């Protein structure tokens, strides 16, 4: 999944993935400035991308999905 920071503030993305019930792994992206993009997916060895969490110092963030693979 390709995500683009379409907001004005820097944001960090956290992909939560797993391969079995109850199993959770977090992968944290680099800090994305406005206009930057990142490809996120399950961690190596995991089968499922369960959630993507946005983290921003301002508490406001906007990210748009720009592609799926």
């Amino acid at each position: 999944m390709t995500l683009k920071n379409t907001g004005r503030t820097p944001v960090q993305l956290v992909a939560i993935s797993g391969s079995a019930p109850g199993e959770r792994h977090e992968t944290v992206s680099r800090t994305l400035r406005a206009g930057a993009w990142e490809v996120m997916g399950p961690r190596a060895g995991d089968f499922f991308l369960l959630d993507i969490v946005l983290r921003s110092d301002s508490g406001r963030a906007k990210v748009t999905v720009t592609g799926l693979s």
Side-chain angles (χ1 to χ4, degrees):
M1 173 181 306
T2 304
L3 300 158
K4 181 177 181 179
N5 181 355
T6 53
R8 296 180 181 167
T9 59
V11 65
Q12 230 179 9
L13 306 173
V14 180
I16 302 172
S17 61
S19 58
E23 183 178 67
R24 302 284 185 270
H25 302 114
E26 291 187 4
T27 304
V28 180
S29 77
R30 61 189 169 90
T31 299
L32 302 178
R33 302 232 178 262
W37 57 273
E38 182 81 15
V39 176
M40 301 292 288
R43 187 181 83 158
D46 287 347
F47 302 116
F48 306 107
L49 179 60
L50 305 171
D51 202 358
I52 294 179
V53 178
L54 308 179
R55 291 184 181 158
S56 175
D57 290 338
S58 72
R60 299 186 66 168
K62 183 178 179 183
V63 175
T64 303
V65 175
T66 60
L68 298 172
S69 55

